[in-house]
Amino acid sequence: KDPIYSCIIGQEGCDVSAIATFGIEINVLNVYPDEPKSNVFPGWMAAYGLNEKDPDGTAKKIVVDSVPISEFNANPNRYLKNGNNWKYDILVFGFWDCNYSRDLSQASRDATEAYLRANKAVVFGHDTITDYCGNHPQFNSLASYAGLTHLPNDPNNGNSSYHYPRS
């Protein structure tokens, strides 16, 4: 398997050094939930050296631009597109409890769906797609793109929730 997509840091067999030399630059738009302390994703990339240049000096590994969700919601294509072209390889949301009670706007939800339909990658982080932690109908409407199904009455706890079906 390609270590870029299959390596979970901290999991046995994950070799971060394999990620550190993939030789291409990956551009990421990190949409964080308005709380400045929640803009943690760039720091994680730096902690593993993934924001540094490749050993041959030709490219950074992962380049992260960050924007608060309120600004992204106001004009998503300003951040996602350059003319008709997508600016980023990956769009990242979340990484804060309950996503600081922030959801996508209808416009940013539609732009995110267009991005997904263009076969671009999206990471829905911690508590973005959820029934129990904030009101996120726009994020929730994108659950199927993440392979999540909605269980109105989860047999484990009787609550409504989203699950990744296990085979």
Side-chain angles (χ1 to χ4, degrees):
K1 287 185 175 180
D2 186 339
I4 297 170
Y5 299 105
S6 64
C7 185
I8 300 173
I9 295 171
Q11 187 177 48
E12 184 178 338
C14 175
D15 180 7
V16 176
S17 65
I19 296 172
T21 58
F22 51 77
I24 59 171
E25 189 168 279
I26 297 176
N27 294 296
V28 179
L29 179 62
N30 171 49
V31 181
Y32 65 92
D34 289 326
E35 166 57 49
K37 292 186 288 186
S38 71
N39 188 16
V40 296
F41 189 74
W44 292 344
M45 298 302 98
Y48 289 101
L50 297 176
N51 66 339
E52 299 168 1
K53 289 196 179 277
D54 280 331
D56 65 5
T58 57
K60 284 190 172 184
K61 296 161 188 70
I62 297 178
V63 178
V64 180
D65 291 334
S66 295
V67 61
I69 197 168
S70 57
E71 292 179 26
F72 181 76
N73 280 345
N75 191 352
N77 285 329
R78 172 181 172 214
Y79 297 97
L80 290 175
K81 291 190 141 190
N82 184 4
N84 290 327
N85 299 315
W86 299 106
K87 291 182 188 178
Y88 296 95
D89 303 302
I90 303 173
L91 177 58
V92 175
F93 296 102
F95 308 117
W96 202 252
D97 282 343
C98 300
N99 205 48
Y100 206 60
S101 299
R102 301 300 193 267
D103 194 13
L104 296 170
S105 65
Q106 184 66 51
S108 63
R109 180 251 178 251
D110 293 347
T112 300
E113 183 173 41
Y115 187 84
L116 285 160
R117 288 179 178 261
N119 293 317
K120 303 300 278 180
V122 175
V123 174
F124 296 100
H126 184 68
D127 292 340
T128 53
I129 298 173
T130 180
D131 267 353
Y132 64 89
C133 190
N135 183 18
H136 303 154
Q138 302 301 344
F139 275 122
N140 292 351
S141 72
L142 299 169
S144 64
Y145 289 99
L148 297 171
T149 57
H150 186 246
L151 296 177
N153 294 299
D154 185 338
N156 295 316
N157 58 26
N159 297 325
S160 174
S161 62
Y162 287 87
H163 285 270
Y164 182 76
R166 301 200 194 298
S167 52

